[in-house]
Amino acid sequence: MKRIGVFICHCGINIKGTVDVERLTEELAQYPGVAYIENYIFMCSEPGQKLIRDTIIEHKLDGVVVAACSPTLHETTFQDALEEMNINRHQLEVANIREQCSWVHDDIEEGTRKANLIIKTAVEKLKLNESLTPIFASLTKRVLIIGGGIAGIQAALDIADGGYEVILVEKEPSIGGHMIQLSETFPTLDCSQCIMTPKMVAVNKHKNIKLYANSELESIEGFVGNFKVNIKRKPQYVDPDKCTICDDCTPVCPVVVPSEYDEGMGWRKAIYIPFPQSIPATFTIDTENCLGFNPIACTKCSDACEPDAIDYDKKPEYFEEEIGAVIVATGFDLYSVDNMAEYGYGKYPDVLDGLQFERILSATGPTGGEMYRPSDGKVPKEIVFIQCSGSRDPERHLPYCSRICCMYTLKHAKLYKHKVHDGQPYIFYIDIRSGGKRYEEFVQQAVSEDGIVYFRGKVARIYKEADKMIVHGIDTLTSKKIEIKADMVVLAMGIKPNNSAEKVISNLKLNTDENGFLIEAHPKLRPVESLQSGFYLAGTAQGPKDIPDTVSQASAAAAKVLALLSNDEISHSPIVAIVNEELCSGCGICVSTCPYGARELDEIKKIATVNDVLCEGCGACISVCPSSAAQQKNLTDEQILNMVKIYSYL
Amino acid sequence: MKEYKPKIVCFLCKWCTSAGADLAGTSRLKYPSSILPIRVMCSSRIDPMFVVKAFLNGADGVFIGGCHPGDCHYHEGNYHTRRRFAMLIKVFNTLGLESKRLKLSWISASEGTKFAKVSNEYTEEIKNYGENPSKWNVFL
Ligand SMILES: Cc1cc2nc3c(=O)[nH]c(=O)nc-3n(C[C@H](O)[C@H](O)[C@H](O)COP(=O)(O)OP(=O)(O)OC[C@H]3O[C@@H](n4cnc5c(N)ncnc54)[C@H](O)[C@@H]3O)c2cc1C
Ligand code: SF4
């Protein structure tokens, strides 16, 4: 019989607080198969691991159970410790007595009793574990990045500079994301376009980056190192190779619609280039508004186009790409202001959201950077900014802090003051969160130099009287009612995951949190990886953050991908299905059950087979096998039934 | 009198429900120690035989947790589970076993609160039913 060592971790008091580790050690010492048992304060520490390594030699162990935190945290740490002692890593089992035991129970009797059972199931499973070697598969050294905001752009450039090919997919006609819409950026007030456009051009020029703009991921199959993706490029109806960007088309187009780039503060035509520095630099026809799809109605742009670049009959194109890893950088959208009826958005043209105000501040915006209000073009002399609009309100809106709006509001007030010297900005706030590097200094400077008036409190109501917006609120510090007759109101809307991210995230089978942000493999120690191997996260798709944090995370994800690609082969978990040839009747039910096409019928032997490289180890084919011929390595029916027995016998 | 503590064998899929159970722990939510976890890769790995055996061996309840329909890490495993569970209920009813002691629930990695809530409610339910009466009577 296997000689199993059991190591019970105290995790400081995290486990010891609700599990009597001494008693457990005594109780389990006599359990069949347990050759050695010990408890220690921190098993994951170096002394803890050394204890395992030394005991393996001293007590001639050939299997180890570590009773500690969830296996998602330290399973590989302990597996590595075994391997160092030349014991196969599959001779380790982790008994999760923290997340699923000590942390969820209060009573020490209960906790100890349950921990005892959990450890016994781990011992039972380990008794029948086989030693396995990883399955090696080839590795495609190319990366897919979804989303061409600053996160996707930074990651693409880093990986491409590292010498590997990047496929960058952006759903909009141009890359740039939200950052290209911003005026100047806190805390240094450098112009967003000036720091962003060189990066966009670099993406376009880089020999290792293949850009699919106006495109979306259709499907993905395969596993880490070996994915096949299908990308759909939506038709732009203008051939980028022929288009010379002469802009003869837009003046003749009769259709005028609100510009997305200007957040509805300006206009564009039905044939348009999102903004002058768009990458790729091509025009696009917006089918929803163009009249030309009925050629009798309009062919004006096509008539004006000298190089004959316009083709109304263009169809979507589909491209297959092989890649080894994926970075998801789908970014954010503002929480919709339509949810904030009490603030009069949509009803009053001078109530704007943060991005609309960015466009008015921007030199490339609809007012050329001059401060005019939308309703009548007057210069606003008093502006009310409302922080936490839609954030930190678990009852009605987003429960979390959007992290950037305190800072961008202050930036807005400051930039406004730079443009309208006799103007008065007022800010309603709950707290001011300025935790970034040099952020507090930025706040202090603005408050002392720019004469911004802060009210701590929420705004109850906004209504219109003549050409003023009447803002009612309470200053909770003085308990006084506040009424301001403002010319303009800016709502510092919170941010949420990009509206079109949900579809692609569910396509990739990634996990999101209750707010739709991507979940990282570990909140502190693996912040840019997904638990699903081969997938990495960057930017605001993972949670609200500013540009410095977005860029750091994107470079971190790129570093992780570069580390993966520096291997020549990829190892694949050997916990796969196997077939007992003597029992298999060749019925083929497993073949139709496997979602990965890993099961095939061997026509000569008349039995089912398993392609190890394709098998992802879900086990679906095992429970459908009517002859019990299929098994899962190291999670056989016998192992599971032995665990069931521990729990259900009296 | 000693309080009756049910034994509930819980099969949790690695990607969703077990991760949700971990989150319940990280969030320090509380539920009874009657919840006894076995982690499998996918809920589709759960052979009906495991459930029957657990039940006849003396478990007072059997719980299966998987990813929400459409979210299965292995694309469609939980659809197999859903059909298999419906069939299990039929088999239990046909044999005169108490199918109300079986439970299937979709709990994602972000639903720690749901895991704790389901664990509390389900334990209460099983407590109301009392001990599993089949455990002395049926052998397999
Ligand atoms: C009003 C306002 C002012 C701000 N001011 C500042 C500031 O002064 N300083 C600062 O540091 N930060 C500021 N920020 C924050 C900054 O905008 C973000 O940190 C940054 O833009 C995040 O970049 P990202 O790449 O994660 O997301 P995004 O910029 O949202 O980019 C995501 C990209 O992915 C694409 N995409 C989404 N879904 C798909 C899909 N399914 N397929 C393909 N492509 C897809 C989108 O089209 C987009 O191009 C401000 C934010 C706001 C709202
Ligand atoms: S960053 Fe500031 S304004 Fe935005 S939600 Fe957080 S506290 Fe509110």
Side-chain angles (χ1 to χ4, degrees):
Chain A
M1 191 155 57
K2 237 178 233 176
R3 292 180 57 80
I4 295 175
V6 176
F7 297 85
I8 303 168
C9 183
H10 307 177
C11 192
I13 56 157
N14 283 298
I15 291 172
K16 203 180 168 192
T18 10
V19 171
D20 183 340
V21 290
E22 297 299 342
R23 199 174 90 202
L24 212 49
T25 311
E26 259 170 55
E27 283 172 1
L28 290 167
Q30 305 311 320
Y31 191 73
V34 176
Y36 179 84
I37 184 159
E38 175 87 272
N39 63 71
Y40 185 69
I41 178 162
F42 287 116
M43 283 312 302
C44 58
S45 66
E46 176 45 33
Q49 293 182 50
K50 185 167 181 303
L51 178 67
I52 297 180
R53 294 195 303 260
D54 292 349
T55 317
I56 286 177
I57 301 201
E58 209 174 306
H59 291 266
K60 300 194 175 59
L61 301 181
D62 39 27
V64 168
V65 169
V66 181
C69 52
S70 167
T72 45
L73 295 169
H74 285 306
E75 189 172 42
T76 43
T77 316
F78 298 125
Q79 285 180 328
D80 292 347
L82 259 64
E83 221 158 53
E84 263 185 69
M85 306 317 291
N86 293 321
I87 308 255
N88 185 274
R89 56 199 300 117
H90 296 279
Q91 299 304 342
L92 173 95
E93 282 297 326
V94 175
N96 182 348
I97 60 165
R98 193 179 75 174
E99 281 81 350
Q100 298 186 4
C101 184
S102 72
W103 274 351
V104 288
H105 308 311
D106 285 325
D107 184 273
I108 193 151
E109 280 301 312
E110 299 280 286
T112 312
R113 189 183 63 91
K114 180 165 153 186
N116 174 306
L117 295 175
I118 294 178
I119 296 172
K120 281 181 188 159
T121 59
V123 172
E124 285 306 325
K125 176 171 185 296
L126 178 57
K127 280 181 185 169
L128 297 179
N129 271 9
E130 279 177 66
S131 291
L132 303 173
T133 44
I135 296 160
F136 285 99
S138 59
L139 171 64
T140 310
K141 301 199 175 194
R142 300 170 90 218
V143 188
L144 171 72
I145 299 182
I146 306 172
I150 183 61
I153 289 177
Q154 182 66 42
L157 289 171
D158 287 351
I159 295 169
D161 284 345
Y164 297 104
E165 249 184 279
V166 175
I167 313 291
L168 178 60
V169 174
E170 166 58 54
K171 72 174 166 59
E172 299 295 328
S174 172
I175 55 170
H178 286 102
M179 188 175 157
I180 197 70
Q181 292 180 292
L182 304 182
S183 53
E184 289 163 36
T185 51
F186 63 76
T188 43
L189 294 188
D190 33 7
C191 139
S192 191
Q193 309 246 337
C194 315
I195 54 177
M196 185 67 165
T197 43
K199 285 199 180 275
M200 292 166 58
V201 173
V203 164
N204 203 29
K205 287 212 176 122
H206 209 298
K207 65 176 186 352
N208 285 338
I209 300 179
K210 191 161 167 188
L211 172 62
Y212 289 98
N214 216 36
S215 303
E216 274 169 42
L217 181 80
E218 274 288 292
S219 65
I220 179 163
E221 53 186 65
F223 55 95
V224 54
N226 294 279
F227 294 107
K228 256 200 200 102
V229 294
N230 192 287
I231 297 162
K232 173 184 177 183
R233 182 150 76 197
K234 298 168 277 181
Q236 283 174 282
Y237 307 100
V238 180
D239 183 343
D241 295 331
K242 289 189 190 162
C243 173
T244 59
I245 342 176
C246 64
D247 200 13
D248 286 345
C249 50
T250 61
V252 299
C253 176
V255 184
V256 179
V257 288
S259 148
E260 293 84 1
Y261 175 63
D262 282 334
E263 293 290 331
M265 296 284 96
W267 308 97
R268 65 160 171 85
K269 295 296 184 66
I271 184 164
Y272 70 107
I273 183 160
F275 47 93
Q277 311 90 327
S278 291
I279 297 284
T282 328
F283 283 74
T284 302
I285 294 181
D286 146 24
T287 49
E288 262 174 47
N289 297 297
C290 169
L291 308 172
F293 288 85
N294 172 2
I296 309 169
C298 181
T299 54
K300 287 200 167 74
C301 57
S302 157
D303 298 342
C305 181
E306 265 190 39
D308 205 14
I310 294 169
D311 174 7
Y312 297 114
D313 297 325
K314 188 90 184 151
K315 296 276 172 305
E317 291 169 281
Y318 294 87
F319 302 88
E320 290 271 342
E321 293 284 0
E322 291 188 0
I323 48 136
V326 182
I327 298 182
V328 188
T330 45
F332 72 96
D333 269 322
L334 284 188
Y335 179 62
S336 173
V337 270
D338 296 337
N339 300 325
M340 316 281 313
E342 66 271 34
Y343 291 163
Y345 182 86
K347 218 165 33 173
Y348 309 131
D350 296 324
V351 177
L352 309 184
D353 69 29
L355 276 176
Q356 290 176 321
F357 197 65
E358 289 285 340
R359 294 313 301 144
I360 292 196
L361 288 171
S362 171
T364 62
T367 58
E370 298 297 324
M371 191 44 63
Y372 302 128
R373 66 179 196 177
S375 63
D376 53 11
K378 268 197 206 153
V379 177
K381 292 290 175 177
E382 284 178 286
I383 301 192
V384 171
F385 295 89
I386 306 176
Q387 286 191 186
C388 293
S389 290
S391 299
R392 302 176 65 191
D393 188 349
E395 265 92 59
R396 296 182 309 154
H397 301 295
L398 306 172
Y400 51 86
C401 166
S402 292
R403 271 185 70 190
I404 54 167
C405 11
C406 279
M407 290 302 292
Y408 82 58
T409 297
L410 185 78
K411 172 187 79 174
H412 285 171
K414 196 176 171 74
L415 293 176
Y416 161 68
K417 195 68 187 172
H418 291 183
K419 291 184 195 281
V420 183
H421 300 302
D422 59 345
Q424 180 58 58
Y426 302 95
I427 299 179
F428 281 87
Y429 73 105
I430 308 182
D431 302 295
I432 298 176
R433 300 190 166 175
S434 52
K437 187 170 176 180
R438 309 211 74 79
Y439 285 13
E440 181 58 21
E441 292 88 329
F442 183 71
V443 174
Q444 292 308 334
Q445 189 206 16
V447 172
S448 64
E449 288 176 11
D450 297 313
I452 299 164
V453 176
Y454 269 101
F455 296 116
R456 181 170 194 161
K458 278 216 160 183
V459 168
R461 194 157 75 97
I462 297 174
Y463 59 91
K464 200 169 171 176
E465 216 174 77
D467 70 339
K468 296 277 185 188
M469 313 301 312
I470 315 296
V471 180
H472 276 279
I474 289 188
D475 184 346
T476 54
L477 294 180
T478 58
S479 301
K480 275 197 188 127
K481 278 193 187 163
I482 311 280
E483 187 191 293
I484 298 168
K485 294 190 167 63
D487 298 310
M488 200 166 173
V489 176
V490 180
L491 307 178
M493 298 308 301
I495 62 180
K496 53 175 267 310
N498 192 293
N499 294 327
S500 50
E502 196 181 329
K503 191 178 139 214
V504 68
I505 289 170
S506 94
N507 216 336
L508 300 172
K509 303 281 173 212
L510 298 182
N511 286 326
T512 53
D513 66 17
E514 66 277 26
N515 301 311
F517 291 111
L518 290 163
I519 302 185
E520 54 285 352
H522 187 280
K524 290 159 207 145
L525 304 178
R526 293 172 68 196
V528 298
E529 293 157 83
S530 159
L531 259 187
Q532 272 86 325
S533 50
F535 293 90
Y536 301 83
L537 328 170
T540 44
Q542 180 262 349
K545 54 180 73 67
D546 53 24
I547 298 165
D549 283 0
T550 298
V551 172
S552 318
Q553 206 185 22
S555 288
K560 284 279 167 194
V561 168
L562 288 171
L564 174 79
L565 299 188
S566 65
N567 294 298
D568 289 327
E569 278 180 319
I570 187 111
S571 66
H572 177 72
S573 165
I575 311 285
V576 291
I578 35 165
V579 178
N580 181 331
E581 298 194 357
E582 291 183 351
L583 292 178
C584 177
S585 68
C587 69
I589 297 178
C590 52
V591 177
S592 58
T593 306
C594 178
Y596 300 100
R599 302 294 244 121
E600 263 176 35
L601 278 185
D602 179 330
E603 289 301 336
I604 298 165
K605 286 193 186 166
K606 298 282 179 224
I607 54 158
T609 59
V610 180
N611 180 335
D612 283 357
V613 171
L614 293 181
C615 174
E616 284 286 292
C618 64
C621 61
I622 293 146
S623 40
V624 295
C625 177
S627 328
S628 291
Q631 278 305 325
Q632 184 165 24
K633 285 189 185 161
N634 287 357
L635 200 62
T636 60
D637 287 357
E638 194 183 353
Q639 285 176 298
I640 296 179
L641 286 171
N642 287 348
M643 292 195 269
V644 166
K645 266 189 210 155
I646 299 286
Y647 284 153
S648 42
Y649 270 165
L650 278 175
Chain B
M1 203 184 89
K2 230 180 101 197
E3 197 202 347
Y4 160 60
K5 288 197 193 85
K7 289 174 292 181
I8 302 174
V9 175
C10 302
F11 296 101
L12 313 179
C13 83
K14 167 175 168 169
W15 301 98
C16 291
T17 313
S18 186
D22 280 356
L23 180 61
T26 319
S27 322
R28 310 298 199 277
L29 304 174
K30 301 292 174 225
Y31 57 81
S33 61
S34 46
I35 298 296
L36 303 166
I38 294 179
R39 191 172 82 148
V40 289
M41 297 298 272
C42 175
S43 62
S44 66
R45 172 69 183 92
I46 299 155
D47 192 314
M49 177 190 50
F50 302 161
V51 179
V52 175
K53 283 264 186 173
F55 200 69
L56 299 183
N57 282 347
D60 299 307
V62 179
F63 172 86
I64 297 175
C67 310
H68 285 271
D71 290 346
C72 173
H73 178 73
Y74 303 103
H75 305 287
E76 51 205 34
N78 51 3
Y79 298 139
H80 294 299
T81 309
R82 189 167 62 185
R83 287 202 296 277
R84 199 170 289 149
F85 191 76
M87 183 200 77
L88 250 176
I89 299 282
K90 276 206 171 155
V91 171
F92 263 59
N93 290 342
T94 314
L95 296 178
L97 300 173
E98 293 181 323
S99 62
K100 62 185 180 191
R101 291 174 182 272
L102 309 182
K103 188 170 184 70
L104 172 67
S105 189
W106 310 128
I107 301 177
S108 78
S110 65
E111 292 176 323
T113 332
K114 182 170 177 191
F115 186 84
K117 183 167 175 273
V118 170
S119 299
N120 279 308
E121 289 172 358
Y122 184 46
T123 305
E124 266 321 294
E125 246 177 72
I126 299 285
K127 266 191 189 168
N128 289 338
Y129 301 146
E131 267 186 69
N132 169 8
S134 348
K135 68 176 152 196
W136 306 116
N137 303 328
V138 189
F139 296 91
L140 207 73

